[in-house]
Amino acid sequence: MIITQVTAVDKSRVRVSFDDSQNLVLYKGELRKLGLEEGMHVSDELYEQMYHEIVGKRAIKRAMHLLEKMDRTEEQLRQKLLQGEYPPQLAEEALDYVKSYHYIDDERYARTFIRLRQEHRSAARMKMDLLSKGVSAEIIERALEEELEVSPEALIRKLLEKKHYNPDTASLKETGKMFQFLLRRGFRRNEIMHVLRDDGSGWG
């Protein structure tokens, strides 16, 4: 394997490119220690050392560090590692490592997400948010079924109260704006209509 190019990533790191189109990001001190330079032939043994012993271990440490800062879904962590230019295989190996110790768990993430937000967001909105974070639909449905305690109608009434919406004095225009606001929050039309009718708004 031959090093085709060495380019700076930042003040302390360089990107080492090989003729098999693989790239490894190393610290400049590591580059000097290993005696690497453009055009150099790298043995399989040395490449494996760089790949697994240096970059692979660093990927695991990076994954652990990212999870110390905040809980993340598997897909969020994968994207952060790929953004850091860790090879896809090493990113997956790092994910397998943290999953084996339950440092990352999409179902736990979904359940916590729902428990903390169910008094402020609709089930549909939470599902959409979790899907965007890479959580599978199957996990989300199971978590919603077991964790959701606030009914859509109760949440709508809470939001109406927070917005100081008074059905007795609200104009048709104000009611229409509130209807659109609740739609954007992910509530279904029939859920909104049911509450507005019950509250005597005259809507519908």
Side-chain angles (χ1 to χ4, degrees):
M1 194 173 297
I2 298 173
I3 297 175
T4 57
Q5 194 174 28
V6 177
T7 54
V9 174
D10 52 36
K11 290 182 178 180
S12 58
R13 298 180 302 160
V14 294
R15 183 184 303 104
V16 182
S17 302
F18 297 88
D19 58 354
D20 66 348
S21 300
Q22 181 73 275
N23 297 320
L24 293 178
V25 174
L26 300 173
Y27 283 95
K28 290 181 179 179
E30 294 168 341
L31 188 77
R32 289 192 296 270
K33 183 177 180 180
L34 295 170
L36 303 177
E37 58 186 28
E38 289 184 4
M40 175 181 173
H41 180 272
V42 176
S43 67
D44 291 343
E45 183 181 357
L46 178 55
Y47 182 79
E48 284 299 309
Q49 179 186 350
M50 288 188 288
Y51 192 81
H52 290 290
E53 294 300 316
I54 298 177
V55 181
K57 288 182 177 179
R58 185 176 298 136
I60 292 173
K61 289 181 180 179
R62 178 60 177 162
M64 297 285 287
H65 178 69
L66 288 166
L67 292 175
E68 284 176 4
K69 288 188 172 183
M70 61 180 287
D71 200 12
R72 300 173 192 269
T73 66
E74 183 177 332
E75 182 59 24
Q76 285 178 316
L77 185 56
R78 176 181 290 108
Q79 292 305 317
K80 290 293 288 185
L81 291 173
L82 293 177
Q83 288 167 17
E85 296 195 46
Y86 289 99
Q89 181 184 337
L90 293 182
E92 294 303 318
E93 289 178 6
L95 285 168
D96 288 341
Y97 178 88
V98 295
K99 281 193 293 183
S100 71
Y101 289 95
H102 298 285
Y103 294 137
I104 192 168
D105 184 322
D106 279 4
E107 184 155 348
R108 182 186 66 215
Y109 183 98
R111 289 176 181 275
T112 302
F113 186 94
I114 291 165
R115 283 198 298 270
L116 294 177
R117 292 166 177 80
Q118 62 179 298
E119 293 189 2
H120 309 287
R121 300 185 191 181
S122 68
R125 174 64 182 275
M126 288 189 289
K127 181 177 181 178
M128 182 174 65
D129 290 344
L130 286 167
L131 283 171
S132 72
K133 296 175 185 294
V135 182
S136 73
E138 181 183 354
I139 288 176
I140 297 169
E141 291 298 340
R142 185 164 60 245
L144 283 170
E145 183 178 345
E146 297 180 12
E147 299 293 341
L148 195 61
E149 297 176 351
V150 181
S151 70
E153 289 79 9
L155 181 51
I156 288 171
R157 288 191 172 91
K158 185 173 182 178
L159 289 170
L160 291 175
E161 183 180 347
K162 186 177 180 180
K163 287 287 187 177
H164 306 293
Y165 173 81
N166 187 337
D168 296 325
T169 60
S171 66
L172 196 61
K173 183 177 180 180
E174 290 171 332
T175 300
K177 285 184 177 180
M178 187 56 61
F179 188 85
Q180 293 300 319
F181 165 75
L182 293 169
L183 280 177
R184 290 193 297 273
R185 284 297 186 103
F187 295 102
R188 297 185 178 94
R189 290 178 178 273
N190 64 323
E191 294 168 344
I192 302 170
M193 296 281 283
H194 177 71
V195 173
L196 292 178
R197 279 198 299 264
D198 283 356
D199 287 353
S201 67
W203 185 260

